[in-house]
Amino acid sequence: MTRPKSHTVNGCFITLEGSEGSGKTTCLHFIQQWLTEHQYDHILTREPGGTPLAEQLRSLLLQPEHNEPVDTLTELLMMFAARNQHCKHIIQPALQQNKIVVSDRFTDTTWAYQGAGRHMNTQWIQQLETMVQGTLRPNLTLLLDMPAELGLKRAKKRGNLDRFERETLDFFNRVREAYLVRAKQYQHIYRILDATKPLADIQTQIQTYLIDYFT
């Protein structure tokens, strides 16, 4: 089913989105293998994180225990602080070099987790998105969708839950709904994958989406 590279890509930004336990990491490695096989110049990265400073912010954001409560606005600002470093030092330079950038999460995560999950002011998110990213948006977003309850069960099997993975089922139901709303709103960018299906089926669907995009 795969086809060889048919043209040169002038920079492309692909993001993987989904709630906890949806299998993003496994799918990210599959995409990496596919891009390597077809000789596309690419990098893999993640959010929050991607640079040394952003990775330190990631550790603070995911750490389950803090000496003081993490205010929701503090969380939002830390997310965008990490994203600013990520955009300026990793994503934008790679795109300028005509590379494919594949990121495990990006700003859609903020709309889902902080916007819907935390009930944060969406105008603040919009303002920070514009301030940090300018016109930078993903060219293709692959959303791994599954019921929140199943995703949490998968996450708990891994053990050592981070601060977000310890949130309530209601929180993750809001997160999932927000993702689906954005997928409907941005149908030209989003591709939805049923993360409850066997891995081989998911990978076949990812491959189809990649072929459709790159050929």
Side-chain angles (χ1 to χ4, degrees):
M1 186 175 181
T2 58
R3 306 174 193 170
K5 180 170 65 172
S6 63
H7 62 280
T8 300
V9 177
N10 294 321
C12 173
F13 186 22
I14 300 173
T15 58
L16 270 71
E17 295 286 354
S19 192
E20 310 306 321
S22 59
K24 289 185 292 78
T25 302
T26 301
C27 291
L28 190 73
H29 292 317
F30 175 78
I31 293 172
Q32 180 183 32
Q33 180 181 355
W34 191 91
L35 292 171
T36 300
E37 178 184 341
H38 292 85
Q39 302 177 26
Y40 285 107
D41 192 4
H42 66 280
I43 65 167
L44 269 62
T45 188
R46 68 177 183 177
E47 285 216 348
T51 75
L53 178 56
E55 288 291 332
Q56 291 181 52
L57 289 169
R58 176 191 179 90
S59 296
L60 291 172
L61 283 161
L62 300 187
Q63 182 180 326
E65 303 297 335
H66 289 275
N67 293 328
E68 60 188 279
V70 179
D71 184 78
T72 54
L73 179 56
T74 300
E75 179 181 284
L76 179 67
L77 293 172
M78 289 174 68
M79 286 287 186
F80 272 103
R83 183 164 297 131
N84 188 66
Q85 291 295 112
H86 193 206
C87 288
K88 300 303 186 294
H89 295 289
I90 300 295
I91 298 174
Q92 290 171 335
L95 293 175
Q96 290 168 1
Q97 295 170 19
N98 292 330
K99 294 181 180 180
I100 297 169
V101 177
V102 185
S103 182
D104 181 350
R105 299 195 181 282
F106 194 57
T107 310
D108 285 317
T109 294
T110 301
W111 284 101
Y113 278 68
Q114 282 73 49
R118 302 281 194 228
H119 300 295
M120 292 215 68
N121 188 322
T122 56
Q123 289 185 346
W124 294 352
I125 298 175
Q126 183 67 68
Q127 289 169 355
L128 287 167
E129 182 179 36
T130 301
M131 184 186 306
V132 168
Q133 299 167 218
T135 60
L136 175 64
R137 301 292 185 276
N139 300 106
L140 176 66
T141 295
L142 303 176
L143 173 62
L144 289 155
D145 176 59
M146 65 163 44
E149 185 174 6
L150 177 56
L152 284 178
K153 286 182 179 179
R154 288 185 178 183
K156 288 177 180 178
K157 286 182 179 179
R158 299 195 300 255
N160 299 319
L161 299 180
D162 65 36
R163 192 169 64 87
F164 288 99
E165 291 169 337
R166 298 185 182 198
E167 285 295 340
T168 65
L169 179 59
D170 286 343
F171 175 91
F172 285 108
N173 280 328
R174 294 194 298 273
V175 166
R176 184 193 185 195
E177 181 60 28
Y179 272 130
L180 294 175
V181 167
R182 289 186 68 78
K184 186 175 181 179
Q185 185 178 4
Y186 300 102
Q187 295 181 36
H188 60 295
I189 295 174
Y190 264 84
R191 301 293 181 270
I192 301 177
L193 298 134
D194 184 350
T196 66
K197 289 186 176 181
L199 179 59
D201 293 347
I202 297 172
Q203 291 177 339
T204 297
Q205 190 64 64
I206 290 174
Q207 180 176 256
T208 298
Y209 289 145
L210 292 175
I211 290 172
D212 288 344
Y213 185 84
F214 288 115
T215 60

